[in-house]
């Protein structure tokens, strides 16, 4: 009998490959809105050499390509890369290269990009510092490194509302650990985020908060998004019994109707911290 243990990178690849179909269907419409809003505040345009690290299904890569940037998008999960490439083809964005690559070990040249960016990508890496160092390495000295990550869990309402419904419906539900927080929320503290950017060697660093509004048509859509957005969310939802799942949906439906004044769907808010900096001059 084999006793082979999967390497951590293989475990991560396997987990995200499994999530990819649901992520592309349920989560991408929301993350794409995040990406569009993040890039609205940048000078990315025709000819910009743009790298998207931990690209998922293209929430930053595709909006950058629509602005005319020459995009390289990398992700450790082949199934995510396939979906990103398919979306680019469907839009006729032939200046997007989608590559399977470990963001902690980028097989890319030094100073190759004007902008290196990541949305809830590098912040999920086991070795955040290594991932940031690689982004700095491949970005030209007067270029920009941009990292976007969730703010406080309570300010990602699709998650916070789901956690509230789970606590109400599931006896003994453990909730989300606070110390240390799960990887998606490791940069929720702006002061820590700023310190991480400085430690990566970035100069002229800045961290600011933005809030994105997205519409969820139903409780089922909220749960599908939570389930498909991260392995932890999948664990919360897939472990429910039938009666627990029904109760969670009932609670969420009530919350959505209260927000919208009686309609079945509502707009939920998600806060993101956006950190930027420049690699130091040689």
């Amino acid at each position: 009998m084999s006793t082979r243990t999967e390497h951590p990178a293989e475990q991560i690849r396997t987990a995200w490959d499994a999530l990819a179909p649901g992520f592309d269907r349920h989560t991408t419409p929301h993350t794409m809105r995040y990406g569009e809003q993040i890039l609205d505040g940048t000078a990315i345009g025709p000819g910009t050499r743009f790298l998207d690290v931990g690209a998922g299904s293209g929430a930053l890569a595709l909006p950058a390509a629509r602005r005319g940037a020459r995009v390289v998008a990398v992700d450790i999960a082949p199934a995510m890369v396939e979906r990103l490439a398919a979306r680019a083809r469907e839009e006729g964005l032939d200046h997007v290269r989608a590559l399977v690559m470990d963001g902690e070990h980028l097989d890319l040249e030094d100073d190759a990009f004007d902008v290196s960016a990541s949305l809830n990508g590098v912040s999920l890496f086991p070795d955040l510092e290594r991932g940031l160092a690689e982004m700095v390495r491949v970005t030209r000295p007067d270029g920009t490194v941009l990292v976007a990550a969730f703010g406080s869990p309570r300010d990602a309402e699709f998650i916070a509302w789901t956690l509230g419904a789970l606590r109400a419906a599931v006896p003994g539900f453990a909730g989300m650990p606070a110390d240390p927080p799960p990887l998606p929320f490791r940069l929720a503290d702006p002061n820590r985020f700023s310190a991480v950017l400085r430690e990566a060697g970035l100069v002229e660093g800045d961290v600011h908060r933005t809030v994105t509004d997205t519409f969820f048509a139903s409780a089922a859509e909220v749960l599908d998004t939570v389930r498909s957005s991260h392995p932890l969310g999948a664990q919360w939802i897939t472990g429910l019994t039938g009666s627990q799942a029904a109760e969670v949906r009932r609670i969420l439906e009530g919350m959505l109707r209260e927000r919208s004044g009686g309609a079945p769907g509502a707009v939920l808010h998600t806060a993101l911290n956006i950190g930027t900096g420049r690699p130091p001059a040689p």
Side-chain angles (χ1 to χ4, degrees), residues 191-226:
N191 291 327
R192 166 167 163 69
F193 198 165
S194 294
V196 166
L197 295 179
R198 288 194 302 271
E199 290 163 6
L202 293 168
V203 298
E204 300 179 25
D206 174 69
V207 176
H208 68 276
R209 182 177 185 266
T210 188
V211 176
T212 300
D213 297 337
T214 52
F215 180 76
F216 288 83
S218 65
E221 183 180 353
V222 174
L223 292 173
D224 284 338
T225 302
V226 171

Side-chain angles (χ1 to χ4, degrees), residues 19 22-23 25-27 30 158 162 216 218-230 233-234 237 252:
L19 285 181
F23 188 100
R25 179 178 178 184
H26 301 295
T27 302
H30 303 290
F158 75 102
T162 299
F216 288 83
S218 65
E221 183 180 353
V222 174
L223 292 173
D224 284 338
T225 302
V226 171
R227 180 192 293 113
S228 63
S229 63
H230 188 272
I237 307 304
L252 283 172

Side-chain angles (χ1 to χ4, degrees), residues 253-272:
E253 285 165 1
M255 297 170 77
L256 290 170
R257 289 181 181 277
E258 183 177 358
R259 167 66 61 85
S260 64
V267 172
L268 301 188
H269 315 303
T270 302
L272 296 168

Side-chain angles (χ1 to χ4, degrees), residues 27-281:
T27 302
T28 297
H30 303 290
T31 60
M32 202 69 70
R33 187 174 179 86
Y34 303 161
E36 289 280 4
Q37 184 168 327
I38 290 165
L39 296 189
D40 280 345
T42 71
I44 293 164
T48 300
R49 297 173 300 166
F50 185 92
L51 173 67
D52 186 359
V53 178
S57 51
L60 289 174
L62 298 183
R66 294 178 195 129
R67 289 161 167 77
R70 291 176 287 154
V71 175
V72 175
V74 302
D75 197 279
I76 197 171
M80 286 289 191
V81 172
E82 289 171 8
R83 281 161 172 77
L84 193 163
R87 284 179 174 271
R89 286 194 299 270
E90 288 168 6
E91 293 191 37
L93 299 171
D94 56 7
H95 45 296
V96 176
R97 292 174 60 211
L99 305 173
V100 178
M101 195 178 296
D102 183 348
E104 293 182 8
H105 306 277
L106 294 173
D107 186 17
L108 300 167
E109 294 183 0
D110 295 357
D111 305 336
F113 298 93
D114 303 307
V115 178
S116 294
S118 186
L119 167 58
N120 287 327
V122 69
S123 58
L124 304 185
F125 290 2
D127 191 340
L128 169 62
E129 291 75 16
R130 176 64 183 258
L132 280 172
E134 283 289 86
M135 292 179 71
V136 172
R137 177 183 66 79
V138 302
T139 307
R140 62 180 173 83
D142 57 345
T144 300
V145 172
L146 183 155
V147 175
F150 283 127
S152 167
R154 67 177 176 273
D155 294 329
E157 287 189 325
F158 75 102
I159 295 174
W161 286 23
T162 299
L163 286 169
L166 287 166
R167 282 192 290 268
V170 182
F173 175 67
M176 183 183 295
D179 188 20
L183 296 184
F185 298 98
R186 73 200 304 186
L187 297 177
D189 179 351
N191 291 327
R192 166 167 163 69
F193 198 165
S194 294
V196 166
L197 295 179
R198 288 194 302 271
E199 290 163 6
L202 293 168
V203 298
E204 300 179 25
D206 174 69
V207 176
H208 68 276
R209 182 177 185 266
T210 188
V211 176
T212 300
D213 297 337
T214 52
F215 180 76
F216 288 83
S218 65
E221 183 180 353
V222 174
L223 292 173
D224 284 338
T225 302
V226 171
R227 180 192 293 113
S228 63
S229 63
H230 188 272
L232 182 59
Q235 179 182 325
W236 293 337
I237 307 304
T238 57
L240 298 175
T241 66
S243 61
Q244 288 171 342
E247 179 64 5
V248 168
R249 284 194 300 272
R250 186 191 68 78
I251 293 169
L252 283 172
E253 285 165 1
M255 297 170 77
L256 290 170
R257 289 181 181 277
E258 183 177 358
R259 167 66 61 85
S260 64
V267 172
L268 301 188
H269 315 303
T270 302
L272 296 168
N273 289 333
I274 302 173
T276 58
R278 296 188 180 279

